[in-house]
Amino acid sequence: GLVTWDIEGVANLRIVAKHNTDGSGVIAPEASYTIADGLKIALKTFVFYGGVDTTYGPWKDNTLGELSLSYSF
């Protein structure tokens, strides 16, 4: 599933979730902010869940984070 929320064209909140039939899945929330025209910063994390013998379960103790700065012209 996907949920997005745009805040006056300057900030954006987004949540992507994937749930498998084996009871495992991943949730990936992301927040981004436009600093200036063409300059954006974003923070994203991936949270895994599930049992040991499932697709995403083995990674449930390994939450991943990502920070990015992008410039476009």
Side-chain angles (χ1 to χ4, degrees):
L2 170 66
V3 176
T4 61
W5 182 32
D6 188 46
I7 305 167
E8 298 183 15
V10 176
N12 186 284
L13 300 175
R14 175 180 166 136
I15 299 174
V16 177
K18 177 172 174 53
H19 181 76
N20 286 350
T21 56
D22 64 5
S24 70
V26 60
I27 301 170
E30 177 180 2
S32 63
Y33 178 75
T34 301
I35 299 169
D37 286 343
L39 186 61
K40 182 168 92 171
I41 189 167
L43 177 63
K44 185 175 187 177
T45 186
F46 296 88
V47 180
F48 303 99
Y49 64 90
V52 177
D53 295 329
T54 61
T55 304
Y56 293 104
W59 294 292
K60 71 179 179 181
D61 294 328
N62 299 313
T63 300
L64 170 70
E66 178 181 288
L67 176 64
S68 64
L69 181 65
S70 60
Y71 178 71
S72 59
F73 53 93

